[in-house]
Amino acid sequence: MAGLGKVPYAPQNVEEVQTLIRNLEGSTKKEAKNSKKSFSCKKTAFTVANSPEKITVFSWRFQDWDYKRDNLPTYARGLFTSKNERGQPEICIRGYDKFFNTEEVDATKWRNIENNTKGPYELSLKENGCIIFISGLHDGTLLVCSKHSTGPRGDETKSHAIAGEHWIDKQLAAIGKTREDLARELRRRNATAVAELCDDDFEEHILAYTGENAGLYLHGMNINLPEFMTYPGPQVQAFAEEWGFKKTDFLVLDDMQTTKTFLDQVAETGSYNGRDVEGFVIRCKSQEKASGPLMDWFFKYKFEEPYLMYRQWRECTKALISGKPPRFKKHVKITEEYLLFARQKLAENRGMGKEYAANHGIIKLRDDFLKEKNLKGSDIIREEYAITGGNPKETTKDIILVPIATLGCGKTTLAVALVHLFGWGHIQNDNITGKGRPPRFTKEVLTQLEQKPVVFADRNNAQRHERHQIIDDVKKTHPEMRMVALNFVHTPDTIHKIRTVTQSRILARGDNHQTIQAASDQNKVLGIMEGFISRFEALNPYSQPDDGFDAVIDLDPTANSRDNLEIVVGQLSDLFPNLIKDMPSSEDLDDAINVALSEYEPEIRHTIGDRGPKNNNNKKKQPSKEPPQIVKKQKPLEYVSVNLPKTPILDSLETAFASVSSNKGRFFRQLQETRRVQPEFHVTLIHRASSKAHPELWLKYTEMHAQSGGDPWSGGSKMGQCKVLLERIVWDNRIMAIVVRLVDEDENWECVNQVAHITVGTRGDDVKPKESNDLLKRWIEVGSGDDSGIGEVAIEGRIILDGTVKGILSR
Ligand code: GTP
Ligand code: MG
């Protein structure tokens, strides 16, 4: 690598990594939450599928907004840890330090950028694909991860990490190297390769990536350390060249002034090298304190108003020239005036259209227009803000959240969670009965906005006319209201999955709804759901009525509501940075979704039929004629257990006690004779009583249970399989249990009890099965024998039983 300078390198320091992990661990614990100044980090384990030693890696994930705190143990966005060949902790994937937009945080205020940073400034286009991290594990495995996960997800075809692996195999094959070669090389460098997966066959992007253009674009090489250390552009490119990656272009500028002037200029036209760009990432060195060291440091420059408006004008002008209808959704009034002006000019000057189409005279036409109006772009934006309720960056109220969805997308769940988190308002269309519902719905939303900064207008708005109604009714009288669409995206490709997920949710919900009572009439409910899906009209931000939304947040109806909640909170805080003062921690989000999933019940219930498909000939009673009645609360999940076959357990008990003294077998005989042996056997994984101590696991299981789509009234639904090894029998004079071990290679199941066990039986109703936990705690502490009054017998022969994991609802 002659001429490129020294390649950055530093080895890992085990103690430092240990400290880092300890600090991250600390923040996953409950205690960390108590102080306001806390954050919490989510830890997820993955067994690396193709690793010969079955290495487990852990992903560490902060909430995006936590990166604005000044006390994180690391700012790496995308971080995985594991163990090295000596069993010591190591960082195996290290993303970039989270970087911010100019003016977004203190460090990115221009003044601070000017004072604290040092060139060269390497500019690259802000990418739009998905990020892929690659590194080498000690057993020679190439680890390929997306930001927070590795290996297949439920649906293999959609996993970013797997798509990344396919591309790597392709590029390595082309240069005659193996995955292991790359793994060893990355490990030798103690580095993570950071690339952008750009492939339209996998995921559509704003810029086209097909054929020769598709692949992995290497844009960084990070050293696997807690602090941020990364290769300069030329060395990244050299590595890309050597290992068959596509190269990322960097524009290198020497000083800050040149850089800023360049960025401002590109903002003027919104395009660079002939392509529309969203913004740039700038890499440089920064020094926080005058005496401190220079560290690698990134920031973003994103194009904002009025440049976005100028870009819209340019696109509309080009549409005019080519005879297409101009599409625009923002700055409607002024854009119409501009287009009138542009049309005139184009008519007056024949050659102008052709020139313009070749990107000449764009700025001049815009400036001529502004001059005639005697306005500056910034004045226009300011005036618009004055009408529409001010700069969104300063907005703290008057926001309406408008879902666009079908049944079961999780609207009410999201709404209840937001109410729980922030005390915002929530109006449910389903609670409004009688005639003239649409205007009354709008009115209730507006009334609640007098008290609350944000109101969730909980209705499907699946059809354009419904969106038209609410937008018009609101904006007519309240132009200052900001309407944010929560767009549950439905496409022909995803509709099948959406149908599966929403149907299973609605059926699991049973009668816990005002109108849709799936337990009572399943077929009718499925028909209503189909009706909504068939009438669904996708959002089109460029035409009426959807151009009336001030912003759109895209959500995936098949994702779980926890993920959608995080997206909504994150994007609202990006749109309105002053809206949410205290950003919630990931535990707060878990809690809020838990509340919404398990404790919510509707206030009223009316008969089915008022939401049926339009062409349904059966004229149903209006719901208003039906007196509202209170619905019984849906039974919440009580515990999750591995249920086991009875006979082999009874046989094992008999066999074990047959070979010991009759004295030892006395309590077992007593249980048998008094018919106190349990009628069925199971290993409890977690009980509702422990849900607060293990919120994530409880959420995961609640989730799996609901997804398993079991009939909640059948006493449990199957969530999966788990093998169980019977180890030993332990008892005192009150209770008997079998100590077991979960044989669960995929690590799907986790038991929160200190000792996983099966309760065999208790001496009477006065002794509850859960006291097995107390028995086994004492057994661990003091052991068996006459002193402790605890008996113990081993179960010989490695008996492993196939168990079924089930969720059991409370009675
Ligand atoms: P309608 O009011 O019928 O239009 O539905 P909605 O969009 O308001 O959906 P709702 O929030 O009621 O969710 C439907 C059912 O799915 C409820 O029983 C929820 O508890 C459940 N649900 C919502 N989100 C999730 C989730 O992330 N995972 C699982 N498993 N269930 C969920
Ligand atoms: Mg609902």
Side-chain angles (χ1 to χ4, degrees):
M1 272 178 231
L4 293 181
K6 220 166 128 245
V7 175
Y9 174 79
Q12 294 195 34
N13 173 324
V14 174
E15 264 169 46
E16 264 177 36
V17 178
Q18 226 151 19
T19 310
L20 171 69
I21 293 180
R22 202 176 318 116
N23 290 336
L24 292 168
E25 289 271 9
S27 68
T28 64
K29 300 265 160 53
K30 195 88 194 159
E31 307 88 73
K33 220 188 118 189
N34 296 337
S35 87
K36 268 258 163 77
K37 265 258 149 246
S38 75
F39 49 86
S40 75
C41 191
K42 217 172 202 155
K43 177 183 184 186
T44 315
F46 298 90
T47 306
V48 182
N50 35 27
S51 137
E53 300 193 13
K54 291 277 160 280
I55 295 178
T56 300
V57 299
F58 296 94
S59 138
W60 300 90
R61 173 180 196 173
F62 288 106
Q63 223 79 242
D64 274 1
W65 53 79
D66 280 335
Y67 292 101
K68 291 191 182 168
R69 299 174 182 279
D70 55 12
N71 57 348
L72 297 194
T74 177
Y75 287 82
R77 190 142 173 275
L79 177 70
F80 290 73
T81 60
S82 180
K83 294 256 166 71
N84 66 17
E85 52 276 29
R86 287 182 295 280
Q88 298 160 321
E90 72 170 11
I91 295 174
C92 50
I93 292 281
R94 207 288 181 201
Y96 298 128
D97 267 12
K98 162 80 184 172
F99 48 94
F100 293 96
N101 279 315
T102 50
E103 303 292 315
E104 189 178 358
V105 293
D106 228 32
T108 60
K109 300 249 187 279
W110 277 117
R111 181 174 33 84
N112 290 330
I113 295 178
E114 277 158 17
N115 288 339
N116 300 343
T117 67
K118 194 167 160 286
Y121 297 88
E122 298 177 344
L123 281 62
S124 58
L125 293 182
K126 206 168 153 289
E127 289 295 348
N128 245 329
C130 66
I131 203 160
I132 296 286
F133 299 114
I134 307 150
S135 71
L137 295 174
H138 69 78
D139 64 356
T141 309
L142 188 72
L143 178 62
V144 181
C145 303
S146 60
K147 210 179 294 150
H148 305 296
S149 121
T150 182
R153 292 188 313 195
D155 174 2
E156 164 124 359
T157 52
K158 276 296 276 184
S159 155
H160 287 140
I162 295 285
E165 284 183 14
H166 292 330
W167 274 107
I168 299 229
D169 287 342
K170 203 165 153 182
Q171 78 189 47
L172 288 175
I175 56 168
K177 297 257 172 71
T178 65
R179 281 196 195 188
E180 186 160 345
D181 294 335
L182 178 55
R184 300 261 176 238
E185 179 61 17
L186 286 168
R187 196 163 179 85
R188 195 175 69 76
R189 295 171 181 247
N190 189 30
T192 297
V194 190
E196 204 76 9
L197 172 64
C198 298
D199 177 7
D200 284 356
D201 285 344
F202 178 66
E203 211 170 59
E204 288 272 338
H205 296 96
I206 306 217
L207 304 168
Y209 288 105
T210 50
E212 279 300 290
N213 279 330
L216 286 168
Y217 285 74
L218 187 75
H219 48 70
M221 294 284 291
N222 295 342
I223 310 300
N224 297 329
L225 302 174
E227 65 275 15
F228 185 37
M229 182 176 184
T230 192
Y231 284 21
Q235 289 174 348
V236 175
Q237 291 185 330
F239 191 89
E241 177 84 43
E242 199 181 335
W243 290 92
F245 287 94
K246 301 210 168 294
K247 283 196 241 171
T248 304
D249 291 324
F250 295 97
L251 172 73
V252 184
L253 299 170
D254 285 331
D255 64 277
M256 193 61 245
Q257 238 23 69
T258 322
T259 305
K260 185 160 187 302
T261 311
F262 168 81
L263 290 169
D264 289 340
Q265 258 168 17
V266 178
E268 278 284 316
T269 60
S271 84
Y272 172 65
N273 276 352
R275 51 187 252 198
D276 259 358
V277 295
E278 252 199 280
F280 285 89
V281 178
I282 301 99
R283 304 170 182 220
C284 59
K285 304 251 183 214
S286 166
Q287 177 173 41
E288 246 180 89
K289 297 196 192 80
S291 59
L294 275 172
M295 305 287 285
D296 288 315
W297 190 74
F298 293 8
F299 67 98
K300 278 188 276 195
Y301 183 98
K302 209 172 93 189
F303 299 143
E304 306 212 31
E305 299 295 6
Y307 299 109
L308 298 178
M309 176 174 73
Y310 296 162
R311 188 187 294 189
Q312 176 172 302
W313 291 357
R314 185 192 71 207
E315 285 313 299
C316 290
T317 314
K318 287 188 174 175
L320 276 188
I321 293 167
S322 60
K324 294 193 200 109
R327 306 202 313 163
F328 54 96
K329 59 172 180 168
K330 292 216 164 121
H331 320 292
V332 175
K333 194 164 148 283
I334 192 78
T335 301
E336 280 168 353
E337 288 175 29
Y338 164 83
L339 284 173
L340 205 64
F341 178 87
R343 205 174 266 128
Q344 264 170 12
K345 292 285 165 198
L346 286 165
E348 283 165 16
N349 182 344
R350 290 282 148 198
M352 192 177 154
K354 205 165 163 212
E355 287 277 294
Y356 196 101
N359 291 325
H360 298 300
I362 296 174
I363 297 179
K364 176 160 192 312
L365 182 58
R366 176 226 292 172
D367 285 347
D368 287 349
F369 169 70
L370 291 173
K371 209 187 277 149
E372 188 180 279
K373 291 269 153 192
N374 196 19
L375 281 173
K376 281 200 283 196
S378 50
D379 297 335
I380 297 172
I381 302 298
R382 208 171 307 120
E383 253 175 55
E384 281 185 359
Y385 286 161
I387 301 168
T388 59
N391 183 345
K393 302 275 176 236
E394 284 149 25
T395 295
T396 54
K397 60 177 174 42
D398 292 338
I399 297 167
I400 305 177
L401 303 181
V402 184
I404 297 171
T406 54
L407 302 194
C409 285
K411 302 176 294 292
T412 305
T413 304
L414 264 186
V416 172
L418 291 168
V419 170
H420 180 83
L421 282 171
F422 307 117
W424 291 346
H426 177 201
I427 299 293
Q428 291 200 66
N429 193 45
D430 285 307
N431 286 345
I432 298 174
T433 54
K435 287 222 176 74
R437 280 164 90 196
R440 287 168 52 213
F441 177 64
T442 315
K443 185 156 177 286
E444 287 199 25
V445 170
L446 288 171
T447 307
Q448 211 174 41
L449 276 163
E450 290 166 14
Q451 314 288 331
K452 313 267 184 184
V454 181
V455 171
F456 195 110
D458 190 352
R459 187 174 80 172
N460 281 305
N461 305 302
Q463 290 180 278
R464 274 196 286 274
H465 75 85
E466 295 162 290
R467 274 121 63 187
H468 190 264
Q469 178 268 322
I470 188 164
I471 294 173
D472 256 27
D473 282 4
V474 168
K475 295 255 167 166
K476 233 173 13 213
T477 51
H478 293 79
E480 76 283 6
M481 292 288 164
R482 299 188 183 273
M483 306 191 68
V484 179
L486 303 183
N487 184 26
F488 287 88
V489 178
H490 289 54
T491 65
D493 287 349
T494 56
I495 199 69
H496 175 69
K497 193 166 169 212
I498 293 173
R499 205 178 257 130
T500 316
V501 169
T502 55
Q503 284 182 359
S504 83
R505 284 183 186 168
I506 293 290
L507 295 180
R509 184 173 70 190
D511 284 353
N512 199 30
H513 192 268
Q514 298 92 332
T515 319
I516 308 295
Q517 282 131 28
S520 308
D521 198 339
Q522 181 162 327
N523 286 337
K524 190 174 277 173
V525 164
L526 293 180
I528 296 177
M529 294 184 74
E530 256 330 285
F532 269 90
I533 288 183
S534 66
R535 279 173 282 135
F536 186 85
E537 294 170 324
L539 174 135
N540 177 354
Y542 294 103
S543 67
Q544 285 198 342
D546 299 328
D547 55 5
F549 285 117
D550 296 278
V552 176
I553 299 178
D554 282 340
L555 299 172
D556 174 359
T558 66
N560 59 49
S561 295
R562 168 64 178 75
D563 290 350
N564 282 335
L565 177 66
E566 185 167 335
I567 293 174
V568 170
V569 172
Q571 294 205 17
L572 283 176
S573 97
D574 284 349
L575 288 165
F576 312 111
N578 285 317
L579 177 63
I580 305 171
K581 289 271 155 7
D582 261 321
M583 289 301 278
S585 70
S586 89
E587 275 187 351
D588 296 335
L589 299 179
D590 292 348
D591 278 354
I593 282 293
N594 263 328
V595 166
L597 286 180
S598 62
E599 285 165 30
Y600 166 75
E601 57 184 300
E603 290 155 22
I604 64 161
R605 165 185 163 145
H606 37 245
T607 44
I608 211 163
D610 57 322
R611 314 183 0 164
K614 271 234 172 96
N615 55 1
N616 186 347
N617 294 328
N618 302 345
K619 281 263 165 344
K620 288 281 155 40
K621 267 198 286 182
Q622 280 295 311
S624 58
K625 303 204 176 106
E626 205 54 28
Q629 55 184 106
I630 302 298
V631 198
K632 269 219 310 263
K633 191 166 175 162
Q634 186 181 356
K635 300 157 196 167
L637 190 62
E638 184 77 6
Y639 62 92
V640 178
S641 61
V642 188
N643 291 29
L644 296 163
K646 193 168 165 181
T647 319
I649 293 182
L650 290 174
D651 289 349
S652 307
L653 287 163
E654 289 291 356
T655 314
F657 284 112
S659 56
V660 297
S661 70
S662 61
N663 190 28
K664 270 200 152 178
R666 201 162 55 212
F667 185 62
F668 180 57
R669 300 290 163 225
Q670 175 192 324
L671 291 177
Q672 283 182 314
E673 281 155 19
T674 54
R675 305 171 70 86
R676 294 294 309 171
V677 174
Q678 299 269 343
E680 57 90 30
F681 297 110
H682 66 258
V683 183
T684 299
L685 298 179
I686 185 170
H687 190 277
R688 188 175 180 74
S690 317
S691 61
K692 284 271 183 305
H694 306 273
E696 277 183 28
L697 187 66
W698 183 252
L699 182 65
K700 174 179 151 190
Y701 284 159
T702 312
E703 190 63 35
M704 292 172 81
H705 174 252
Q707 296 288 357
S708 68
D711 173 1
W713 277 263
S714 73
S717 61
K718 183 172 156 181
M719 292 160 58
Q721 300 285 348
C722 180
K723 288 190 187 339
V724 171
L725 167 68
L726 307 182
E727 291 196 321
R728 46 190 60 245
I729 310 164
V730 177
W731 69 93
D732 60 8
N733 59 4
R734 297 162 55 82
I735 191 163
M736 175 177 284
I738 301 176
V739 175
V740 302
R741 186 180 299 223
L742 305 182
V743 187
D744 171 27
E745 280 123 16
D746 301 333
E747 299 188 38
N748 280 325
W749 309 111
E750 195 179 329
C751 172
V752 304
N753 288 331
Q754 186 187 14
V755 183
H757 62 269
I758 302 163
T759 299
V760 175
T762 72
R763 78 170 174 207
D765 283 341
D766 59 321
V767 182
K768 298 274 171 284
K770 70 165 192 223
E771 288 183 33
S772 291
N773 283 311
D774 306 329
L775 165 73
L776 294 171
K777 182 164 188 280
R778 269 199 307 126
W779 172 66
I780 295 269
E781 284 162 5
V782 299
S784 57
D786 288 345
D787 293 345
S788 60
I790 296 178
E792 169 178 358
V793 170
I795 295 179
E796 305 293 346
R798 257 188 93 74
I799 295 180
I800 298 182
L801 304 179
D802 285 316
T804 306
V805 184
K806 286 191 167 189
I808 312 294
L809 298 167
S810 61
R811 285 165 201 278

